[in-house]
Amino acid sequence: MTKITPQVIAEHGISEDEYAKILEILNGRTPNMTELGIFSVMWSEHCSYKSSKKWLKTLPTEGPQVICGPGENAGIIDIGDGQVAVFKMESHNHPSYIEPYQGAATGVGGILRDVFTMGARPVCNLNALRFGSPDHPKTKHLVSGVVAGIGGYGNCVGVPTVGGECEFHESYNGNILVNAMTVGVADADKIFYSAASGIGNPIIYVGSKTGRDGIHGATMASAEFSEDSEEKRPTVQVGDPFTEKLLIEACLELMDTDMIVAIQDMGAAGLTSSSFEMASKGGMGVELDLDHVPQRETGMTAYEMMLSESQERMLIILKPGREDDARKIFEKWELDFAVVGTLTDSGHMVLKHKGEIVADLPIDPLALASPEYDRPWVPTPTPVAVTADDIPAPNDLMTALKTLIGCPQLASKRWVWEQYDHMVMADTLGVGRPGKSDAALVRVHGTQKALAVTSDCTPRYCKAEPIVGGRQVVAEAWRNITATGATPLAITDNMNFGNPEKPEIMGQFVGCIEGMREACNALDFPVVSGNVSLYNETNGQAILPTPTIGAVGLLNDYTTTVGIGLKAADETLILIGETAGHLGQSLYIRELHGREDGGTPPVDLVTERKNGDLVRNAIQAGMVSACHDLSDGGILIGVTEMAMAEGIGATIDMSNGDIPAYAWLFGEDQARYIVATSKPETVLAMAAEAGVTAAKLGTTGGDAVSLSSGESIKVKDLKTTNESWMPDFMG
């Protein structure tokens, strides 16, 4: 038996104060290794949110559309007609850096299980990916592995991957981000929760057998990387999408019966986390006989079985006497089914192995005593402002456009999304396919409704001014949904930050949360689920703060939606919102001048709401043929992307006044949209009535993107530049 020494305790990520608390919970008894392992994963940053709980509690989580907010496997919102959308985003950053294919693949598998365990059939996936600098020696390898893993798992399981992001920045050189999101649909009266109940009810293990993969995955994801991180490859889980597909179908079939009391997937911390969470939520005790756990490796210890993060596994509490009926379903789908324990009234988790009690832990004291830290933090200093006067004018505006449209940030990610099946299930709308719309659009099967889904973040804004950046990430997701004509309903967040024990990093987190809270309240856009991933740094170098927002909206009639692509010549382009030519933190100064400085563009949430509501009303009234929100790169990039989407050109009337042309064209002022319309006077009148700034920007037609001052460039040349970077990079 391994002796519990200070070194062993430290290796489990447990501090001296935390170990003292463990001894107190155990009334002075020294834990054995199995018990110490259980404490280590349950109190890890990944599972306990000990550095973030204080601040997460301040986010708005309620609204008339919210059926279930944070605390369950996924969030649930009402989409009308007795139906709900179930969704969540989660990180698989650390595993994906160590073993990119399996890390990314199992990230997809894990988030799928979070959704279908609630009773929802998954209808789409999204992935927000961030890699290091393209010239870093590992970047190409990581991109190749992660994209293959996402495509390999998602394509095999038969759920379309319809949207997301893929960006590059040197801060992610040693710590990439893989944030996976799944959206599902269920009947409102067939939702399942994880709180265990019923003394004597059987605890059922279903799915794949347990192996040694993923042991200490949760604690590994709660620490910084170092030079030897790749030695942790054995801790990365291995997924099997074909088993996942069987598990989805078997669980949904079981859910059509009346057998289930509670259900929970085995994600981070595996059997430990699932059993503890179910028992704690229901105020129950648990007795498990580990001899009955299906195992694919010989000689597994209790410690290994409880901490394994093997994939495609679920834990179910059944009604008494229904074991044989449930077993038939899982055996039909060729999945393991085992009765591994019972619920008790002891309030303890008691583990038996080979006829002996190998662990006996009080559930509520362990769960309730989970550390909650108020980490020291310092606010991010306000950056020195950058104005147009600080930036030299380009020699040629069209050359600047070509440079920007071909840079890694804005270059087409066709190479990525063509590896994903985004049409399986046949409900992905054409106008909402990758590159065609600001948000992906997925029909709610058998109805006229569609879900608009997106993921977004602007990390450079969050670093420069976390509060303003936090506002912007929520507002940007809200705009993406709005630009399709859909009503934004709710968000899930994935908070990716560096080491929270550093006050400046914790200050970034606190600031982003504050900004997000303001935006969620102003836009009626509550947070219903999410994930926190901290310690994203290597050898002390932190990632840019990256609070990724996944958002869901609703179209009651999908035939009313519009994409970004210009549809016809001789239409009018209208610019919604005010332009000041803000260049601080812009892609323009980064890509053309190598600068990453200045302040974040101001985010006026009242204006965001007002402008977005106007745009949505105009789309729903049939006044708009195309719409694109403005973000990275400003007006000229927005018009170019609209032109490239369908191959129709446009001419911009230069009405920049006193603002330098390059600032007016490339500034990243917020709360702005471009709409194309054949009824400009009607749209302008609607804007005037709503008190929204709007003006004619130009006209559609021709085969080039042109300026009224005379400069132009062919759409096909822009598209070639835009689409060539990624394939050229990947070779």
Side-chain angles (χ1 to χ4, degrees):
M1 183 177 291
T2 305
K3 187 178 179 182
I4 305 300
T5 65
Q7 181 180 347
V8 169
I9 295 166
E11 287 171 351
H12 282 73
I14 295 171
S15 70
E16 290 182 12
D17 289 345
E18 289 169 356
Y19 188 68
K21 178 63 74 173
I22 290 172
L23 294 179
E24 184 182 322
I25 290 171
L26 298 179
N27 297 317
R29 174 173 71 83
T30 300
N32 60 37
M33 273 296 289
T34 300
E35 293 170 331
L36 186 72
I38 289 170
F39 272 102
S40 83
V41 294
M42 292 303 295
W43 287 7
S44 69
E45 191 73 57
H46 192 79
C47 292
S48 75
Y49 298 98
K50 57 190 178 187
S51 298
S52 57
K53 276 189 286 193
K54 170 183 168 71
W55 302 103
L56 295 174
K57 292 174 183 176
T58 68
L59 291 169
T61 59
E62 298 178 348
Q65 70 275 45
V66 179
I67 292 174
C68 177
E72 275 290 340
N73 290 288
I76 305 176
I77 56 174
D78 186 357
I79 59 171
D81 307 312
Q83 293 179 302
V84 299
V86 181
F87 64 101
K88 186 183 179 183
M89 179 180 283
E90 205 163 66
S91 63
H92 239 227
N93 305 337
H94 291 70
S96 298
Y97 181 79
I98 294 168
E99 212 305 299
Y101 185 96
Q102 291 296 348
T106 53
V108 175
I111 197 65
L112 283 166
R113 287 192 297 281
D114 278 337
V115 167
F116 77 73
T117 193
M118 305 285 299
R121 179 172 290 281
V123 297
C124 65
N125 293 328
L126 298 91
N127 282 275
L129 312 177
R130 285 180 170 81
F131 299 100
S133 174
D135 59 9
H136 189 274
K138 288 201 68 170
T139 298
K140 189 183 297 187
H141 160 73
L142 291 167
V143 171
S144 178
V146 164
V147 171
I150 292 168
Y153 202 100
N155 297 350
C156 290
V157 85
V159 177
T161 300
V162 298
E165 304 168 272
C166 179
E167 296 183 355
F168 300 81
H169 189 272
E170 63 182 6
S171 75
Y172 307 105
N173 281 348
N175 200 124
I176 64 174
L177 301 185
V178 176
N179 294 175
M181 176 178 171
T182 292
V183 183
V185 173
D187 292 335
D189 59 355
K190 292 182 179 178
I191 298 170
F192 292 84
Y193 296 99
S194 58
S197 64
I199 297 167
N201 279 350
I203 302 171
I204 311 299
Y205 173 119
V206 300
S208 292
K209 291 179 169 60
T210 294
R212 291 185 170 93
D213 54 325
I215 293 173
H216 278 299
T219 44
M220 179 263 293
S222 304
E224 292 182 37
F225 277 149
S226 61
E227 298 285 357
D228 63 352
S229 292
E230 293 196 38
E231 295 177 8
K232 296 180 179 180
R233 187 171 279 109
T235 69
V236 175
Q237 312 93 320
V238 177
D240 179 352
F242 299 103
T243 300
E244 182 95 343
K245 179 65 175 173
L246 298 175
L247 188 60
I248 292 173
E249 299 303 331
C251 287
L252 291 176
E253 183 173 336
L254 184 69
M255 289 167 171
D256 278 337
T257 71
D258 64 346
M259 303 184 207
I260 298 176
V261 174
I263 184 167
Q264 173 88 349
D265 78 295
M266 290 190 228
L271 187 54
T272 291
S273 180
S274 56
S275 55
F276 251 97
E277 287 176 6
M278 294 176 85
S280 181
K281 287 175 181 176
M284 306 295 296
V286 169
E287 185 173 299
L288 297 178
D289 188 339
L290 300 182
D291 292 341
H292 295 156
V293 171
Q295 300 159 54
R296 69 167 186 265
E297 299 185 51
T298 59
M300 291 191 71
T301 64
Y303 179 98
E304 290 170 331
M305 280 186 274
M306 293 304 294
L307 270 60
S308 166
E309 294 183 8
S310 294
Q311 299 292 289
E312 293 85 42
R313 303 179 301 159
M314 308 285 283
L315 208 60
I316 302 171
I317 310 297
L318 285 182
K319 293 179 178 179
R322 305 303 303 272
E323 294 93 326
D324 287 342
D325 294 331
R327 185 188 303 274
K328 289 176 184 175
I329 292 173
F330 285 90
E331 288 182 348
K332 181 185 78 173
W333 290 101
E334 299 181 344
L335 295 167
D336 277 289
F337 179 102
V339 180
V340 295
T342 55
L343 295 179
T344 70
D345 60 358
S346 70
H348 278 237
M349 170 179 275
V350 177
L351 304 181
K352 296 181 177 177
H353 189 220
K354 297 181 178 178
E356 296 182 2
I357 293 176
V358 292
D360 186 346
L361 295 171
I363 290 173
D364 276 351
L366 190 156
L368 297 174
S370 169
E372 182 173 336
Y373 296 132
D374 186 2
R375 300 277 193 197
W377 63 277
V378 295
T380 301
T382 302
V384 176
V386 168
T387 68
D389 294 338
D390 303 318
I391 309 297
N395 294 325
D396 179 79
L397 287 167
M398 289 302 161
T399 301
L401 168 60
K402 201 167 181 180
T403 298
L404 277 173
I405 206 69
C407 76
Q409 180 90 359
L410 295 176
S412 167
K413 304 305 186 301
R414 179 185 295 273
W415 184 93
V416 174
W417 55 257
E418 281 190 339
Q419 297 186 52
Y420 306 154
D421 189 339
H422 56 275
M423 295 300 295
V424 65
M425 300 177 76
D427 281 320
T428 309
L429 298 180
V431 72
R433 296 178 192 177
K436 298 292 187 181
S437 185
D438 284 324
L441 296 162
V442 179
R443 179 177 57 181
V444 179
H445 195 75
T447 77
Q448 284 291 107
K449 297 184 297 190
L451 299 176
V453 295
T454 186
S455 70
D456 219 297
C457 186
T458 314
R460 63 186 186 276
Y461 291 177
C462 295
K463 184 176 183 185
E465 296 186 74
I467 296 175
V468 185
R471 290 181 199 135
Q472 196 273 341
V473 295
V474 174
E476 171 73 5
W478 192 85
R479 287 200 300 270
N480 286 344
I481 299 287
T482 293
T484 69
T487 301
L489 292 179
I491 67 172
T492 181
D493 57 31
N494 204 148
M495 308 294 289
N496 307 275
F497 289 77
N499 185 344
E501 297 167 47
K502 297 177 179 177
E504 65 274 15
I505 299 293
M506 199 65 212
Q508 294 172 351
F509 185 90
V510 172
C512 285
I513 288 283
E514 181 178 337
M516 289 167 58
R517 179 175 66 250
E518 293 173 357
C520 289
N521 282 324
L523 301 172
D524 293 327
F525 211 24
V527 180
V528 297
S529 59
N531 173 241
V532 176
S533 175
L534 304 178
Y535 297 94
N536 288 290
E537 50 187 86
T538 299
N539 298 327
Q541 296 298 307
I543 64 165
L544 292 175
T546 311
T548 307
I549 300 296
V552 176
L554 178 66
L555 278 161
N556 286 316
D557 180 358
Y558 65 77
T559 63
T560 62
T561 191
V562 298
I564 69 171
L566 302 177
K567 293 294 191 292
D570 301 319
E571 291 198 327
T572 300
L573 297 177
I574 293 177
L575 175 62
I576 308 293
E578 295 187 14
T579 298
H582 188 99
L583 289 177
Q585 295 298 326
S586 67
L587 282 189
Y588 177 81
I589 67 168
R590 189 178 85 186
E591 297 299 328
L592 275 82
H593 299 283
R595 298 176 57 170
E596 297 187 35
D597 60 335
T600 297
V603 178
D604 182 325
L605 294 167
V606 172
T607 303
E608 288 281 2
R609 179 70 180 256
K610 186 168 61 174
N611 293 5
D613 288 350
L614 166 75
V615 167
R616 191 181 314 105
N617 290 338
I619 294 171
Q620 290 297 320
M623 296 294 114
V624 172
S625 62
C627 179
H628 193 11
D629 85 299
L630 294 185
S631 52
D632 287 347
I635 289 173
L636 189 50
I637 290 296
V639 171
T640 298
E641 289 174 340
M642 297 176 82
M644 292 191 302
E646 300 293 343
I648 294 174
T651 299
I652 296 173
D653 295 328
M654 296 297 294
S655 53
N656 48 303
D658 295 332
I659 304 171
Y662 58 92
W664 190 80
L665 288 168
F666 297 115
E668 296 180 3
D669 307 283
Q670 301 293 295
R672 296 187 302 163
Y673 304 78
I674 295 173
V675 299
T677 178
S678 60
K679 301 175 181 177
E681 301 309 323
T682 304
V683 173
L684 291 171
M686 291 175 69
E689 185 176 351
V692 170
T693 299
K696 291 181 181 179
L697 179 65
T699 55
T700 66
D703 61 356
V705 173
S706 307
L707 305 179
S708 59
S709 52
E711 300 96 325
S712 78
I713 187 168
K714 297 285 189 182
V715 174
K716 66 178 183 181
D717 292 341
L718 288 165
K719 190 160 184 170
T720 298
T721 300
N722 181 247
E723 298 224 343
S724 62
W725 182 84
M726 193 85 188
D728 288 351
F729 168 61
M730 294 304 298

